[in-house]
C-alpha cells in the first residue's frame, strides 16, 4: 500500500493537485480567466464613468459635446436628402455627382480613412465600390434625362400632347373610326 500511496501522492501531490497545476501551465483556467476578464471590464467601466463625473459647466464643453453627436445624424439625413434630391431635381443632383466624379482617388482614400477611424471597422473596399457605382450612375444620366423628357411630353395637361406631328400614317389612323368589338357584338345580337 505504501508504494501506491507514494505514486498517487507524486501524481496528485501532498495537499494540492499536481495534474491540475501542470495542466494550467499549458491551458488557462477558465474560471480564473473569467474572473480576470471581469476585473478588467469593471475597471474599464469605472474609468469610463469617471470621464462623465467631471461637471460640464463651460460653454465650450457643451458645444464640443453637441458637435460630437452631430456627424452620424448629419450623414444619415444627408444621404436621405440625396435620394430625395435625385428624384425631385435630377439635373441638380447630376451636376453635384459630376463634381464628385472629379474628386481624385487619393482624396477618396483620405476620406475613407477618416470615416473609418470615426465610425470604426469600415473597410476601404466599400468606399472604392461606392466611387465606381457613382461613376456608373453618372454614365446613365443622359439616358435618364431623355426618359424624363419623354415622360414630361406625355403629360395630359400639355398643349398639343395628342398632336401627330408630321406623321401621315398616325394622322390617318387617328381619323379612321375605331372598331369596338363589344359594340359590334352587341349590334349583331340586337
Amino acid at each position: 500500500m505504501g508504494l501506491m500511496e507514494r505514486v498517487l501522492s507524486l501524481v496528485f501531490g501532498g495537499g494540492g493537485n499536481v495534474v491540475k497545476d501542470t495542466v494550467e501551465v499549458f491551458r488557462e483556467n477558465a474560471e480564473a480567466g473569467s474572473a480576470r476578464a471581469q476585473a478588467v471590464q469593471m475597471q474599464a467601466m469605472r474609468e469610463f464613468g469617471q470621464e462623465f463625473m467631471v461637471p460640464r459647466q463651460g460653454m465650450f464643453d457643451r458645444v464640443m459635446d453637441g458637435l460630437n453627436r452631430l456627424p452620424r445624424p448629419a450623414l444619415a439625413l444627408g444621404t436621405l436628402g440625396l435620394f430625395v434630391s435625385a428624384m425631385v431635381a435630377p439635373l441638380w443632383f447630376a451636376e453635384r455627382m459630376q463634381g464628385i466624379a472629379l474628386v481624385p482617388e487619393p482624396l477618396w482614400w483620405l476620406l475613407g480613412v477618416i470615416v473609418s477611424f470615426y465610425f470604426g471597422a469600415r473597410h476601404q473596399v466599400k468606399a472604392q465600390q461606392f466611387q465606381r457605382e457613382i461613376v456608373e450612375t453618372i454614365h446613365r444620366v443622359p439616358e435618364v434625362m431623355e426618359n424624363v423628357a419623354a415622360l414630361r411630353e406625355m403629360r395630359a395637361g400639355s398643349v398639343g400632347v395628342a398632336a401627330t406631328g408630321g406623321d401621315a400614317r398616325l394622322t390617318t389612323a387617328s381619323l379612321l373610326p375605331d372598331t369596338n368589338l363589344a359594340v359590334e357584338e352587341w349590334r349583331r345580337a340586337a
Side-chain angles (χ1 to χ4, degrees), residues 89-106:
L91 287 176
W92 180 89
F93 181 79
E95 289 173 358
R96 279 24 181 210
M97 294 302 109
Q98 285 294 326
I100 287 177
L102 297 176
V103 174
E105 188 170 343

Side-chain angles (χ1 to χ4, degrees), residues 2-189:
L3 181 60
M4 288 292 285
E5 187 178 334
R6 284 186 195 159
V7 170
L8 289 175
S9 107
L10 178 65
V11 172
F12 294 108
N17 190 338
V18 175
V19 173
K20 176 182 166 266
D21 294 340
T22 305
V23 169
E24 285 181 353
V25 169
F26 299 104
R27 186 176 186 284
E28 177 187 27
N29 182 330
E31 186 177 346
S34 294
R36 285 190 298 274
Q38 181 187 12
V40 168
Q41 182 71 22
M42 292 305 293
Q43 182 63 31
M45 292 302 285
R46 277 192 292 275
E47 288 180 17
F48 185 67
Q50 289 296 322
E51 178 182 345
F52 296 102
M53 297 302 286
V54 177
R56 308 263 187 210
Q57 294 179 2
M59 181 61 116
F60 178 78
D61 288 334
R62 283 186 250 151
V63 168
M64 286 297 114
D65 285 344
L67 286 176
N68 282 334
R69 290 181 177 97
L70 280 180
R72 283 188 179 112
L75 285 172
L77 293 174
T79 303
L80 291 175
L82 286 174
F83 278 104
V84 170
S85 69
M87 292 184 283
V88 172
L91 287 176
W92 180 89
F93 181 79
E95 289 173 358
R96 279 24 181 210
M97 294 302 109
Q98 285 294 326
I100 287 177
L102 297 176
V103 174
E105 188 170 343
L107 196 54
W108 282 111
W109 282 92
L110 180 61
L111 177 65
V113 167
I114 291 169
V115 169
S116 293
F117 278 123
Y118 187 78
F119 291 104
R122 302 284 189 233
H123 299 285
Q124 193 62 36
V125 174
K126 295 294 182 183
Q128 296 301 316
Q129 287 174 348
F130 179 66
Q131 183 181 11
R132 281 191 290 275
E133 289 171 5
I134 287 177
V135 171
E136 290 171 11
T137 303
I138 295 300
H139 287 298
R140 291 195 315 247
V141 167
E143 178 186 346
V144 170
M145 293 312 300
E146 289 174 17
N147 292 342
V148 168
L151 289 171
R152 286 186 178 156
E153 287 177 15
M154 292 182 196
R155 286 188 178 156
S158 315
V159 176
V161 73
T164 58
D167 191 351
R169 185 180 53 80
L170 189 58
T171 304
T172 305
S174 68
L175 296 175
L176 293 175
D178 195 17
T179 57
N180 187 331
L181 296 178
V183 172
E184 294 298 323
E185 186 178 331
W186 175 72
R187 283 185 184 158
R188 280 182 277 171

